[in-house]
Amino acid sequence: MADELFKALADSTRRTILDELAERSGQTLFELCTRLSVKHQLRMSRQAVSQHLAVLEQAGLVESRREGRYKYHDLNVGPLQSITERWISPEETEHKS
């Protein structure tokens, strides 16, 4: 899991997507593409953004849910907390496992 997490975080576009989801969770692919284009001048296809979202979902950083025709994406900070606790407070992590 940690390898997938670091792989996901290694790409600047994926980190920008996480920034956008941290600012406003529950965005559709269309909303994310619009924000990346307007706010960050990142010109990329919806398919490319979708592929980045798939990597983030695989790492557990993004969760998605369907409501009708729309798919909403939410930030999940759980994996980030796990890796920070790993080095910042290893004793607490050892007691939890």
Side-chain angles (χ1 to χ4, degrees), residues 22-40:
E23 188 174 309
R24 191 169 76 80
S25 199
Q27 295 186 57
T28 64
L29 177 61
F30 177 77
E31 291 169 320
L32 279 169
C33 288
T34 302
R35 290 173 71 105
L36 291 173
S37 175
V38 173
K39 192 174 173 185
H40 302 281

Side-chain angles (χ1 to χ4, degrees), residues 1-13:
M1 182 70 165
D3 289 341
E4 291 176 344
L5 183 62
F6 287 114
K7 177 185 167 191
L9 293 172
D11 185 274
S12 65
T13 300

Side-chain angles (χ1 to χ4, degrees), residues 7-8 14 16-17 26-28 33 39 50-51 72 83 92 94:
K7 177 185 167 191
R14 289 193 282 268
T16 303
I17 291 171
Q27 295 186 57
T28 64
C33 288
K39 192 174 173 185
S50 182
Q51 288 174 345
Y72 297 93
I83 62 168
E92 291 179 23
E94 288 175 12

Side-chain angles (χ1 to χ4, degrees), residues 7-77:
K7 177 185 167 191
L9 293 172
D11 185 274
S12 65
T13 300
R14 289 193 282 268
R15 290 192 305 270
T16 303
I17 291 171
L18 292 176
D19 288 341
E20 288 302 317
L21 290 175
E23 188 174 309
R24 191 169 76 80
S25 199
Q27 295 186 57
T28 64
L29 177 61
F30 177 77
E31 291 169 320
L32 279 169
C33 288
T34 302
R35 290 173 71 105
L36 291 173
S37 175
V38 173
K39 192 174 173 185
H40 302 281
Q41 289 75 44
L42 289 174
R43 309 271 183 237
M44 54 184 7
S45 68
R46 289 172 51 119
Q47 189 174 27
V49 174
S50 182
Q51 288 174 345
H52 282 298
L53 283 169
V55 173
L56 292 168
E57 281 188 70
Q58 192 170 6
L61 293 167
V62 170
E63 295 177 336
S64 61
R65 57 187 156 81
R66 278 208 178 271
E67 290 182 22
R69 295 176 44 200
Y70 299 101
K71 186 176 180 182
Y72 297 93
H73 304 278
D74 299 293
L75 176 65
N76 178 18
V77 296

